[in-house]
Structures are given as structure tokens and as C-alpha cells.
Amino acid sequence: MITPVLPTYSRAPLHFVKGEGSWLTEADGRRFLDMGAGIAVTLLGHCHPTLVQALTDQANAVWHVSNLYEIPQQEALAQKLVDASFADTVFFTNSGTESCELVLKMARKYWHDKGQTDRIEIVTITGAFHGRSTGAIAAAGADKLTEGFGPLMPGFTHVAWGDHEALKAAITDKTAAVIVEPIQGEGGIRPLPDVCLKGLRDLCDTTDALLILDEVQCGMGRTGRLFAHEWAGISPDIMMVAKGIGGGFPLGAVLATEEAAAGMTKGTHGSTYGGNPLACAVGCAVMDTVTEDGFLDHVTGVAGRLRQGLEALVASHPDVFSEVRGTGLMLGLVCVTPVGDVVQAAYDAQLITIPAAENTLRLLPALTLSDDEASEALSRLEQVAQAIEKAKP
Ligand SMILES: *Cc1c(COP(=O)(O)O)cnc(C)c1O
């Protein structure tokens, strides 16, 4: 018999009743070190006092009014994002998927309004993940996302990850835009090297194709810069954001230059909830915290120590782990044994990790992770490696 909740998820039998910083308490009282942050969402840890304050203050004022009216919290958050990034303008959504839908529309409208109505193709990279809407699954293109849901939205060209020549060939005068994740998240923490991102920017400049970055997972300070593309010294025309921006409150955004956003005039797009006062009050508190002096230095510092420990872990357990990948606090451990077994062994060690493609274990902790907590995560991972070695035949 079908469960009351549509059974689309495979869930671990864990039920957390309280969160505090990087720690989650299970109903049975066990404390878990959270190195997953709800898939890179609880950016400042659980129940960060500043966010709790921002949310409760706003909850006591007004929750929702709709975009039929002015929303000062939304304007404030947009201003903060514009001030801190390449963007001139921001649209607020409730998720990464919704941000994906808008970037697809924005790219096509841009060329439509230039009179190039056949310039509708969008180039993406295999192994990408852009969300679960029909547009987002067509964009990513993997069978595991699209099977059974056809006919899919047409117009996407999928280029193999790491194949520069194919990418060059795929971008033509029919290409409206290219969408890439600077670091693939679900795809197994696969960073696009800075030179590739620079090369891609150049390619887009020569062909006029719009460069759209999906920073839903890697953005908002996770890599030690506010946005991951800053490491490569380039900027996109349009960018998708979600996950960490709300620190756990559902919030997403599309950032764009004035030029790229030119087609999105009154009535061309909208959202009932998008940018509502509760979400934007929390988003402002997240932005203020992440852009505080020294905050990103903390991320880089703790990430460096964590990474060093992970490299040592890989070196001492080559039969369990083979490689460390990623930047800042977006780290992947490529596993030799099935990643599902490693995630399970980590649960036994009261450590929360997240599996990804390419048999990769993801570590996406809160950016407030302390050095002591990073050490604790490493010692629990050592325990995990030993347990897996012991269980091997
Ligand atoms: C999670 C994710 C999305 C989809 O976001 P949702 O909020 O789940 O809709 C899109 N792109 C990337 C890179 C993601 O990691």
C-alpha cells in the first residue's frame, strides 16, 4: 500500500529532533556531527541565533503579502546581492529548480527580443544537476532523471564533462546560453578548473552566448569566496542561487546583469511566494553574516585543515578512499568501496555525510564549522575507514 507521503525518497531511519550549530540530536538522544548541512543548506549551522532572531522578528511583523505590494526585505536582500556580486538585478524564487526555470526563460527571451528567434539552444554538461522540474531534467539530460517523463523540453545539447573540444564545437550561432556548475555537486564534487571557466567565458564572449552559472550548491561562501566563479576571476551573465542563501529557510534567486535580464519585463515572470518577507528577512541575515569581515577567511582556514586531514585519511586507507576533490567546504571523498556502505558506516559513527555520483562521499558542513569539529569529523571518518576495512572479506 502506498504511504501517505509519496514514496519518492529513500530515507535513513533517523529522525532528528533538535539542531544546534553543526550538531543534530536524534530522537533516541544520540548526537550526530552534521557534515551534510541538509545538502549544503544550513549554511550557518542549525538554529543560528542571528537567523532565529531575524525569522522570529519578521514572523511577529508580517509573514506574507505577495508581490502585488512592495517588500522592503526583498529590496534589501537584492541590494546586498547586487553590491556583492557581478549582478545588476535579482529575482527571488523558492528553490534551485525554480531558479533553473527562470534562467531558461531569461536566456530564450533575451535572444527573442533581439530578433534572433531561432537562437534557442542551451548547452549543458553531462553529470550536471539543475533541479527536478521538466525544464531542469531536460537541461541535465541524464536518463536517471528523465526516464519516463518525455517528451522533454527540446533545445538542449549535452557535452561530455571535461571535453573542451566538444564544448567548443557545441557552441554555435544557435546557442542561446551555456549552463555550468563551477563545481558539480550531485555529479560527485567535480570542479571545473579555473582555466576552463576562463576559456568558457572567452568562448561565450566570442559567440555572444550567455554564460549561466549554477551556483545553487557551490555559492554563498561555500568555497571560501562568496561565489565560486570568483576564484577564476570571471563573471557570468546570469547565475542560479538557492540552498545556502536561506540558511534552511526555502529561498532561491536568479542574479543577472542588466543586459542579460533585458527581456524580463513586467508580466513575463512571477512567483507567489518568491521573495516573501520571512524568506528575505532570513536571507538578509545570512548575507550579512557571510559578508562580515573575516567570515570567509574562517571558511578557508577550517577548510584547509579539514582537507589536509582528508588527504592523510586517503593516504592511510587507500582500500577505502582514493581521492579528495573540491574547494573550501565543498569536499568530496572518492570511495573505493560502495559510497552507500560508507554513508551507513558514518551513521554508525554518528557522522552525517552525503552520497553523490561517481561513488563520491560529500562533505558540505555548515560554514561555521570549528577547528575542533573538523578534527572530530576526521576522527569519525578514521573510525569509518577502520570499520569498513574490518568488514572486508
Ligand atoms: C540542489 C541543486 C539544484 C536544485 O535545487 P532545489 O532547491 O532542490 O530545487 C540545482 N542545481 C544544483 C547545482 C543543485 O545542487
Side-chain angles (χ1 to χ4, degrees), residues 86-225:
F86 71 95
D88 302 311
T89 188
V90 183
F91 183 93
F92 291 104
T93 68
N94 309 285
S95 67
T97 298
E98 286 169 70
S99 293
C100 184
E101 289 304 308
L102 173 54
V103 305
L104 301 177
K105 286 177 68 175
M106 191 180 281
R108 286 191 170 166
K109 188 68 162 43
Y110 175 82
W111 289 108
H112 171 272
D113 287 8
K114 285 195 179 304
Q116 299 193 40
T117 48
D118 59 345
R119 195 159 180 171
I120 55 102
E121 284 173 21
I122 294 173
V123 174
T124 63
I125 311 286
T126 57
F129 183 76
H130 300 301
R132 295 290 198 150
S133 62
T134 51
I137 62 174
D143 291 345
K144 69 172 184 205
L145 296 172
T146 61
E147 203 192 337
F149 299 118
L152 298 174
M153 178 178 170
F156 293 99
T157 307
H158 306 104
V159 174
W161 198 88
D163 190 341
H164 303 281
E165 289 313 309
L167 186 59
K168 236 183 223 173
I171 302 174
T172 69
D173 59 1
K174 296 284 173 288
T175 305
V178 181
I179 308 180
V180 299
E181 294 159 84
I183 304 175
Q184 283 192 349
E186 305 303 309
I189 311 292
R190 292 200 294 184
L192 205 62
D194 288 352
V195 300
C196 300
L197 213 45
K198 280 196 188 104
L200 184 56
R201 177 70 269 180
D202 289 344
L203 263 175
C204 289
D205 286 341
T206 15
T207 55
D208 289 333
L210 296 167
L211 178 59
I212 302 177
L213 295 181
D214 180 346
E215 293 225 16
V216 168
Q217 196 161 145
C218 62
M220 294 308 295
R222 181 147 296 279
T223 66
R225 291 284 186 94

